[in-house]
Amino acid sequence: MSDPSTLSLAADVLTVSGGRIGAVLSALLGLLGSVGGGLALARTVGRGRVLTWARRNGAVTALVSGPIAVAVGATVAATAEGGLGTGNGLGGAYVAVLLGLTALTLGGAARTRARTRTDTRTRTGTRTTH
């Protein structure tokens, strides 16, 4: 049998730590921003409440939630002691940073396209009011 002091300390799946909570919440925030930015960029067509909300607010939601997810994820990753599987939320922090950067990219692209379409309508004189 091996010496217990040489075994790595892996956390149980159900162990909840501050790092895991922060990583999960920031990953969910990044996911919200990525979905909102993706829907805004995809020019969602429909009459439902979610689709109307995404057309109007998806890019802004992505641009607000993306940096928060990146900042919290990076903080968790920087303060996590140990490696992956130790229960400090390091894996979730990496996912949160990735989703936050995705949200920033999608939100920026959607915002740029919306601004370009508005400028084109104003220049050609076909501005419509909704």
Side-chain angles (χ1 to χ4, degrees), residues 53-117:
W53 173 88
R55 265 195 317 269
R56 293 180 183 163
N57 303 321
V60 175
T61 301
L63 291 173
V64 169
S65 64
I68 295 170
V70 169
V72 173
T75 302
V76 170
T79 59
E81 296 177 3
L84 289 172
T86 57
N88 293 320
L90 188 59
Y94 291 155
V95 171
V97 169
L98 180 66
L99 286 172
L101 291 174
T102 303
L104 277 170
T105 303
L106 291 173
R111 188 80 172 145
T112 301
R113 186 170 70 188
R115 192 175 319 131
T116 303
R117 282 191 332 194

Side-chain angles (χ1 to χ4, degrees), residues 25-42:
L25 290 178
S26 63
L28 288 175
L29 193 61
L31 181 63
L32 172 73
S34 295
V35 168
L39 288 174
L41 190 59

